[in-house]
Amino acid sequence: RAKALGKGQYYIFDPAMHDEALNRLQLENDLRRAVERQEFKVYYQPIISLTTGKIYGFEALVRWQHPTRGFISPIDFIPVAEETGLIASIDLWVLQESVRQLQAWQHQNLINDKVTCSVNLSARHFLQFSFIQHLRELLEATQINPQMIKLEITESAIANKNQATLDILHQIRDCHIELSIDDFGTGYSSLSYLEEFPVNVLKIDRSFIKRIDDPEHQCGLVPGIIGIAHTMGMIAIAEGVETPIQLEKLRGLGCDFAQGYLFSKPLDPEAIAELLARSPQW
Ligand code: C2E
Ligand code: MG
Ligand code: MG
Ligand code: MG
């Protein structure tokens, strides 16, 4: 299967590698058309207050229903979307759709304007100059209470500390939109960054929550992370809470909010509306 490249040069033709490259190219092409074809949908996962037991808000999580391949997980297509730059239009669409949905639920009297929706942003996108313009336009056009929207960025997105990043974060804050750090504890940012960045929420990564049931483990870093959040005037949200034991421990540690399969998986908007209608006090 060796093919000549030139005098004395050969490469080995590997059909598996060829398939992978083709697949990847196909995925890129499909992704390009998916926004126009409206193949994405936003699912919402409730975030619960550990003091009142009520819904504090939701996290918006994008879903892709591919016409022939079926459901594709964001874990598989977000990296491709980031590499190709398509993430900018996807993130913006999720943001617009979340705002539209919040306002629809408000009109149906299912929520009030204390309920929040947290939208994930890729660093590739929010660091572009156009992002803040789009954000201002959206706020202006919809007149949504900006406190209802939270933006989630990962620790690694701001690990590269520079003035431009700091400026953008401050511009977001000037729009009265609060920022959360997603998957906190898994990146490599130094704690001194937290003091400089205008951040309001630390989301404790699921990998830390998973370990707190373990009697040998003494809750690991979770008490420390909650302590850091509170010391800096921020709130702590636990991600991926799956068991009642985890919930009790988090409550005991003074964690403010939690989300996870114990309460609810991410649900489509219809299911969320039912849940809100059934139990507004939830
Ligand atoms: P994330 O922002 O950390 O979101 C939390 C992920 O954990 C979600 O996965 C959610 O479904 C899952 N999860 C929630 N509770 C539990 C639980 O109790 N157990 C387990 N095992 N998992 C739980 P999902 O929806 O597959 O999203 C994966 C990641 O893709 C997200 O992680 C986020 O980084 C990214 N993502 C999702 N939607 C968007 C988006 O609109 N824009 C961008 N840029 N990224 C997104
Ligand atoms: Mg998130
Ligand atoms: Mg997360
Ligand atoms: Mg995560």
Side-chain angles (χ1 to χ4, degrees):
R1 293 292 191 84
K3 209 173 167 182
L5 282 178
K7 246 192 195 128
Q9 280 189 297
Y10 294 88
Y11 74 89
I12 307 298
F13 179 73
D14 176 351
M17 221 158 84
H18 180 69
D19 281 357
E20 210 178 284
L22 265 186
N23 260 332
R24 166 62 201 244
L25 204 62
Q26 188 66 50
L27 191 68
E28 280 184 31
N29 282 332
D30 290 355
L31 207 49
R32 243 173 259 287
R33 273 170 299 182
V35 181
E36 301 153 35
R37 292 180 187 151
Q38 302 206 319
E39 290 167 9
F40 295 111
K41 191 159 174 147
V42 183
Y43 272 46
Y44 299 88
Q45 185 176 38
I47 300 174
I48 309 300
S49 162
L50 294 187
T51 44
T52 65
K54 291 183 186 178
I55 292 180
Y56 157 76
F58 302 96
E59 177 172 2
L61 293 156
V62 72
R63 297 289 177 260
W64 182 13
Q65 191 63 46
H66 189 284
T68 54
R69 293 202 208 179
F71 172 77
I72 303 179
S73 166
I75 297 168
D76 295 322
F77 73 81
I78 295 285
V80 181
E82 286 181 337
E83 283 164 42
T84 53
L86 290 165
I87 193 67
S89 41
I90 297 173
D91 279 356
L92 204 59
W93 179 81
V94 172
L95 180 61
Q96 286 164 346
E97 181 56 23
S98 300
V99 168
R100 193 201 58 73
Q101 187 62 70
L102 282 173
Q103 293 190 315
W105 286 333
Q106 254 186 302
H107 286 133
Q108 295 165 261
N109 274 321
L110 290 170
I111 59 170
N112 60 27
D113 73 352
K114 301 282 179 286
V115 172
T116 66
C117 185
S118 197
V119 177
N120 293 283
L121 283 187
S122 159
R124 270 293 299 267
H125 179 207
F126 87 90
L127 293 175
Q128 288 173 17
F129 172 69
S130 60
F131 173 69
I132 195 77
Q133 279 181 311
H134 287 301
L135 184 63
R136 289 194 185 119
E137 278 166 25
L138 180 69
L139 293 175
E140 175 69 28
T142 60
Q143 291 294 307
I144 186 150
N145 177 354
Q147 320 249 44
M148 294 178 80
I149 309 166
K150 315 265 172 205
L151 296 175
E152 293 189 11
I153 54 182
T154 58
E155 221 183 329
S156 50
I158 55 172
N160 198 355
K161 181 172 69 170
N162 55 45
Q163 195 55 42
T165 306
L166 205 54
D167 285 349
I168 288 170
L169 296 182
H170 278 289
Q171 283 173 322
I172 293 173
R173 248 296 257 283
D174 291 344
C175 295
H176 307 287
I177 291 179
E178 293 190 344
L179 286 160
S180 312
I181 299 196
D182 205 353
D183 306 338
F184 185 76
T186 61
Y188 295 94
S189 68
S190 81
L191 289 178
S192 63
Y193 285 18
L194 284 183
E195 284 203 288
E196 278 177 64
F197 288 139
V199 170
N200 311 80
V201 179
L202 294 187
K203 296 192 79 171
I204 310 167
D205 193 65
R206 182 163 62 90
S207 56
F208 297 104
I209 306 303
K210 244 167 137 173
R211 291 184 288 223
I212 64 177
D213 298 15
D214 179 355
E216 314 268 278
H217 212 269
Q218 305 276 315
C219 298
L221 289 175
V222 173
I225 298 176
I226 295 170
I228 289 168
H230 291 166
T231 304
M232 303 183 84
M234 299 190 247
I235 64 166
I237 301 183
E239 293 192 292
V241 178
E242 293 182 351
T243 71
I245 296 174
Q246 290 169 343
L247 172 62
E248 270 332 296
K249 288 202 176 171
L250 287 163
R251 229 188 229 126
L253 292 169
C255 186
D256 305 284
F257 301 98
Q259 64 187 101
Y261 296 168
L262 177 64
F263 307 105
S264 169
K265 291 197 167 188
L267 299 171
D268 65 33
E270 296 76 21
I272 293 287
E274 270 173 44
L275 185 140
L276 289 167
R278 226 182 18 241
S279 45
Q281 299 297 310
W282 213 66

